[in-house]
Every structure is written in C-alpha cells, then in structure tokens.
Amino acid sequence: GQQLNQSPQSMFIQEGEDVSMNCTSSSIFNTWLWYKQEPGEGPVLLIALYKAGELTSNGRLTAQFGITRKDSFLNISASIPSDVGIYFCAGQGNYGGATNKLIFGTGTLLAVQP
Amino acid sequence: GAVVSQHPSRVICKSGTSVKIECRSLDFQATTMFWYRQFPKKSLMLMATSNEGSKATYEQGVEKDKFLINHASLTLSTLTVTSAHPEDSSFYICSAGRGGDGYTFGSGTRLTVV
C-alpha cells in the first residue's frame, strides 16, 4: 500500500529539547493530520490541517501544511517524558475515487530521556 | 465526543478458525469506517473502506474473501478474519470520522493465530 515519506525514523532526545519531524509526498493532499500512537493503542489525533500554508498549534505542538500541499511538518517544543511514542503523519486526498481515505507516513519514534 | 470502541482488544485463536472484530462509533453515526493492519514497529496500512449498506472497498492486495467486512448499521462495522493462519497475526485498527474533524481510531485488536 501507499505510504508517505516521514523523517526522521527515530529520535532520542533529552527532556526540554525541541523536536521537528516532517512528511513528504509525491501526491497532493487536501488535509494533513498528525497522530501519536502509544504501544498497544490506536493513534490519537494531535493536529489537523485543512489549508495550504496553514500553521496550527496545540499546546507545545505546532504543525504546518506545506504550500505545495505535498508536505507537512510537526514541531514539539520543550519535550517531556510523556511525549514518548510514535508519531504519524497522514494525508487525506482523492485516491481511487474515494475522497476521504487516509494514507499514513512511515512514523517517527520519539524517545525522551529525563 | 467522537469515541470509537473496538472489541476485542486481544484475541488468540487456533489456525483455521475465524475471528470477528467489532468497531463501533459510540456517539456519532459513521457512514464510512476504515480498517487498518499494523505490523510491529511499522505504519498503518489501509486494508479496506467499510461503507454502510454497501460492499466494502478493498485496497490492492487485500483478499476480500479472507477479510470479510460488514457495515450493517451507521454505528457498527465488523471485520472477520476467515480461516486464520499465523501470518494473519497482527494489530488491526479501525477508524471512523465525521468528515471534517479528522478520524478517530479504535484502540486496536491484537490478533495472535497459533
């Protein structure tokens, strides 16, 4: 199945550091979403972006929808231990006639050392 | 709002038997639900789109006779893994949404076929 290119694959940082991850695609999306997944759980929505160029914040999280509609980034400021998890980007667009399918990125594993 | 309940959370079955997984939207109606499969340390791969009152739309490479999907009501979709084999062991996750608010995921089902 199709996946988005997400980088970095993993990050190991100290508490208090800022984190940045991004997703790129060869296809245009109408919506970009960022999710966090903890072990044994389903993904939880963090931020949704609906317009090219849009910059949205949710607490210490900030995400942007790229102007070309083919990329997005997520920043986490002042990381804390509970930020640990796998972060996924997801793009929503028109695939095979369906306008609401989500295609996921490959994921970024974040580890935060206290 | 937007709660999606998935059951069971874990199931172990014998090779050759069938297993049914339920996905319910608890506080909203979902004409469309999605089923994903996730291997350890990997991203979510869309298996199929479940459409209320009509046939599911399967992604390329997903066997529709193997993974039976029934979306009998606006709040319930089921995935049945038929004649399960050890290679079907995986984490299965459903999601549903109300259109413009992103998608809410269930907590996933860990299937182990022995």
Side-chain angles (χ1 to χ4, degrees):
Chain A
Q2 184 179 1
Q3 284 190 308
L4 305 177
N5 297 315
Q6 186 173 343
S7 64
Q9 191 174 22
S10 60
M11 303 180 75
F12 299 89
I13 61 171
Q14 297 284 334
E15 183 177 1
E17 290 185 25
D18 296 344
V19 170
S20 184
M21 58 191 80
N22 69 82
C23 259
T24 60
S25 168
S26 57
S27 305
I28 289 173
F29 286 104
N30 301 322
T31 302
W32 279 94
L33 305 163
W34 284 92
Y35 288 88
K36 179 186 178 185
Q37 185 181 29
E38 299 190 15
E41 298 289 331
V44 174
L45 182 65
L46 299 174
I47 290 180
L49 302 158
Y50 301 106
K51 203 162 56 172
E54 179 182 353
L55 183 71
T56 298
S57 293
N58 178 8
R60 293 178 296 107
L61 277 60
T62 302
Q64 184 158 30
F65 192 144
I67 289 290
T68 64
R69 294 166 62 191
K70 294 183 178 181
D71 63 300
S72 177
F73 71 75
L74 173 71
N75 287 340
I76 305 174
S77 63
S79 59
I80 59 178
S82 61
D83 289 334
V84 165
I86 303 178
Y87 291 79
F88 291 102
C89 64
Q92 180 184 349
N94 192 343
Y95 291 95
T99 59
N100 52 5
K101 290 166 59 170
L102 284 186
I103 305 298
F104 277 81
T106 47
T108 296
L109 171 65
L110 178 63
V112 180
Q113 186 168 0
Chain B
V3 178
V4 174
S5 174
Q6 189 173 339
H7 291 280
S9 57
R10 289 178 182 273
V11 58
I12 301 173
C13 70
K14 289 186 177 179
S15 188
T17 62
S18 295
V19 173
K20 181 184 284 188
I21 303 169
E22 292 188 347
C23 182
R24 293 180 185 272
S25 56
L26 298 186
D27 52 358
F28 67 100
Q29 293 182 332
T31 56
T32 304
M33 293 185 179
F34 301 91
W35 287 96
Y36 294 83
R37 183 173 181 177
Q38 186 178 32
F39 291 102
K41 298 183 181 180
K42 295 295 184 182
S43 186
L44 287 78
M45 300 300 294
L46 180 63
M47 297 174 66
T49 303
S50 173
N51 305 300
E52 188 268 334
S54 65
K55 291 182 179 179
T57 305
Y58 289 81
E59 295 299 300
Q60 193 172 7
V62 177
E63 300 175 61
K64 56 184 69 175
D65 295 331
K66 174 75 169 175
F67 299 99
L68 298 179
I69 291 172
N70 187 354
H71 196 149
S73 76
L74 287 170
T75 59
L76 173 65
S77 175
T78 60
L79 168 69
T80 301
V81 183
T82 63
S83 187
H85 290 285
E87 58 265 29
D88 298 325
S89 299
S90 192
F91 193 55
Y92 293 88
I93 313 174
C94 70
S95 75
R98 293 184 285 196
D101 299 332
Y103 291 90
T104 301
F105 283 79
S107 53
T109 297
R110 172 75 58 197
L111 171 63
T112 303
V113 184
V114 297

